[in-house]
Amino acid sequence: MKELITNLKGDKGIWSFVMLLALISFMPVFSASTNLVYVIGKGSTIGYLVKHLVHIFIGFGLIYFVHKVPYHYYKGISQIALPIVALLLVYTFFQGTVIDGANASRWIKVPFIGVTFQTSALAFIILMIYVARYLAKMEGKEINFKASFFELWLPVFGILALILPANFSTAALIFSMVSMLVFVGRYPLRYLGTIIAAGIVMLLLFVAFAKAFPKAMPNRVDTWMNRLERFTSNEPNEDDYQIEKAKIAIASGQIYGLGPGKSVQKNFLPQSSSDFIFAIIVEEYGIAGGLAVLFLYLMLFFRFLVTAHKAKSLFGKLLIVGLGFPIIFQALINMGVAVELLPVTGQTLPLISSGGSSIWMTCISIGIIISVTKKEEEIAQEAAEKEEREAALQRMIDEHIIREQQEEEAKALADAEGNSQPSQPAAFSIDDKSRNPMSAVFGK
């Protein structure tokens, strides 16, 4: 374990907060899994706990292997992976809307393994890297709107068009994060305003088309459109049931909570282990527990800010911003849904909610961020080692100079003493032991 910890490179603060969030997740997931066991009648609580442990273990394995890859390699990877992700999204769009009897138009099932996978989460990561690559490439150059539209925005809108019908919240999150990233990357504001306006117009046209031809779109379109309508109306609806139970859970927790595993509302909330796990945390650990979780996310956000500021290259800075900020933003969305500040979105609480692909994609993003911090750490370490080598060399030179000065002073002193004594005839002997025996008679 000591050797493993010493091999962990990169920002130790990010490692620490990620590990803390993962450790915190086990008790709420174990407690909330009773909803699936006793209400739905599926699996066992220990089984769900072990499953979550496996997901976390694989996630940290992904962080470890991803952070070993030099982050500049992801420039080329994003260009290769973007068309592949687009094909996966097309397949997800047409593969059907039911997996094991449930609506799953956002998911595909991996052949031979049987694991379901949300392709939009992978598309999110690849798209953010692709945008960061473009902005880094254009650093110091004048950006032309027409050229940037075809090279930057056309791929972005293409990916969003494939995600939007099934998952409005993820599409909206991606578009907002891309807009934030290009703003940080100093994309001209007049061009960005045009793109945002065009995005809103395209969304309205899509909604109008979905209303006019309801059978042409997957049934997830009706789901998220109805959620938006229900959030803005005062009439009772099914989302009110989930929000009501979440608010009851939060109110029941009060300051210190009911205690670990003692949640009542977990038996009534349909997504108590994923979408509404924050409400279960507050019910069992109180407002203190909820604020502690929020504090960890804010500290992780602070580490992202610090490491982005320290990054030497623009591409490294944009990677941290583009992959790190959405994690925090998604956590705030999940908490906002639980307290009815936002409509029900289906966004999980990163690193805490149960679910394989959501945990793994978050871990891949964190691994790439740590790869950036690792590179900057290595650069700083190399600079420190170079300074140490130069200092050691300078010490050796100084010591050599001092030694030569001492020898010269000693020789001068010896010569001065020799000149002050009267000269005597040299005595020569056949038994001279000098290096050259003939030296005694040279010049005599």
Side-chain angles (χ1 to χ4, degrees):
M1 180 61 70
K2 183 178 179 181
E3 183 180 355
L4 178 63
I5 292 175
T6 55
N7 286 330
L8 297 180
K9 304 298 182 182
D11 188 82
K12 299 300 186 293
I14 294 177
W15 277 109
S16 302
F17 294 126
V18 168
M19 290 179 180
L20 280 173
L21 287 169
L23 287 174
I24 288 172
S25 70
F26 285 101
M27 283 303 295
V29 167
F30 177 66
S31 175
S33 63
T34 56
N35 174 274
L36 301 172
V37 176
Y38 299 113
V39 177
I40 300 178
K42 184 179 180 181
S44 65
T45 54
I46 297 297
Y48 283 108
L49 180 63
V50 172
K51 185 178 179 180
H52 183 66
L53 175 63
V54 171
H55 289 160
I56 292 291
F57 182 79
I58 294 174
F60 274 89
L62 289 171
I63 294 177
Y64 181 81
F65 287 111
V66 169
H67 100 287
K68 290 289 185 181
V69 179
Y71 74 90
H72 60 270
Y73 285 9
Y74 294 109
K75 290 183 180 179
I77 292 174
S78 66
Q79 291 181 288
I80 298 171
L82 194 64
I84 298 174
V85 165
L87 292 175
L88 284 175
L89 289 171
V90 171
Y91 174 73
T92 306
F93 188 83
F94 290 106
Q95 62 91 29
T97 57
V98 174
I99 292 178
D100 296 334
N103 180 354
S105 57
R106 298 176 293 175
W107 304 76
I108 58 174
K109 183 176 286 188
V110 180
F112 308 111
I113 302 177
V115 177
T116 54
F117 177 73
Q118 190 172 0
T119 52
S120 59
L122 178 61
F124 197 165
I125 296 174
I126 300 300
L127 191 61
M128 297 304 284
I129 299 173
Y130 180 84
V131 173
R133 181 203 67 84
Y134 174 81
L135 294 171
K137 184 185 73 171
M138 299 303 294
E139 182 182 11
K141 300 178 182 178
E142 185 178 355
I143 297 178
N144 179 271
F145 179 74
K146 183 178 179 181
S148 67
F149 179 81
F150 285 102
E151 191 173 352
L152 173 63
W153 294 109
L154 197 60
V156 170
F157 282 123
I159 296 296
L160 290 175
L162 294 171
I163 296 175
L164 179 62
N167 195 344
F168 171 76
S169 60
T170 299
L173 181 62
I174 292 175
F175 184 70
S176 357
M177 291 296 101
V178 168
S179 301
M180 178 269 300
L181 187 59
V182 296
F183 174 77
V184 173
R186 298 182 179 180
Y187 187 80
L189 290 179
R190 62 183 184 277
Y191 297 161
L192 180 58
T194 303
I195 291 297
I196 292 175
I200 294 173
V201 170
M202 285 190 284
L203 175 62
L204 295 176
L205 290 174
F206 174 79
V207 171
F209 179 80
K211 288 285 188 181
F213 305 98
K215 294 183 179 180
M217 294 286 114
N219 56 0
R220 282 292 305 180
V221 174
D222 295 333
T223 301
W224 63 258
M225 288 179 63
N226 290 335
R227 281 179 174 175
L228 291 175
E229 292 174 357
R230 289 196 295 263
F231 181 74
T232 55
S233 72
N234 295 323
E235 298 179 1
N237 53 70
E238 61 178 285
D239 283 350
D240 286 345
Y241 172 80
Q242 299 181 79
I243 295 297
E244 179 185 355
K245 296 302 178 185
K247 289 163 69 174
I248 291 173
I250 292 172
S252 302
Q254 298 184 8
I255 303 299
Y256 300 108
L258 302 178
K262 295 182 179 179
S263 168
V264 176
Q265 300 306 316
K266 65 186 179 183
N267 299 313
F268 303 99
L269 273 169
Q271 302 294 334
S272 58
S273 62
S274 55
D275 297 1
F276 289 94
I277 197 167
F278 183 72
I280 305 303
I281 292 173
V282 176
E283 184 180 11
E284 294 187 349
Y285 301 95
I287 297 297
L291 291 176
V293 171
L294 177 60
F295 175 76
L296 287 177
Y297 282 114
L298 293 178
M299 289 303 297
L300 186 59
F301 177 67
F302 175 74
R303 290 310 308 169
F304 290 155
L305 289 175
V306 171
T307 52
H309 179 71
K310 288 182 178 179
K312 304 298 181 183
S313 67
L314 179 61
F315 181 63
K317 293 177 185 291
L318 295 176
L319 277 183
I320 296 175
V321 172
L323 297 176
F325 286 20
I327 295 174
I328 310 303
F329 197 63
Q330 182 181 339
L332 296 177
I333 289 174
N334 180 278
M335 297 175 189
V337 169
V339 296
E340 206 180 6
L341 288 176
L342 297 170
V344 178
T345 61
Q347 296 294 328
T348 58
L349 194 60
L351 297 170
I352 293 182
S353 295
S354 63
S357 63
S358 62
I359 292 175
W360 299 337
M361 293 304 105
T362 302
C363 289
I364 289 175
S365 297
I366 291 171
I368 296 173
I369 293 171
I370 294 177
S371 176
V372 178
T373 64
K374 180 199 72 170
K375 183 63 179 178
E376 304 306 327
E377 186 181 78
E378 289 174 351
I379 293 173
Q381 185 177 356
E382 289 176 0
E385 291 175 353
K386 183 180 179 180
E387 289 180 0
E388 289 180 2
R389 288 195 300 269
E390 291 177 349
L393 180 60
Q394 188 63 43
R395 285 196 301 269
M396 292 175 62
I397 294 172
D398 294 341
E399 289 173 1
H400 182 70
I401 293 173
I402 292 172
R403 192 161 49 247
E404 286 184 342
Q405 291 175 348
Q406 290 174 345
E407 290 176 355
E408 289 177 358
E409 291 174 357
K411 184 178 179 181
L413 181 62
D415 292 342
E417 291 177 352
N419 293 330
S420 64
Q421 296 179 357
S423 60
Q424 296 179 357
F428 304 104
S429 171
I430 196 170
D431 297 326
D432 190 82
K433 303 298 183 181
S434 63
R435 184 175 298 176
N436 187 350
M438 298 302 293
S439 297
V441 295
F442 282 164
K444 302 296 181 180

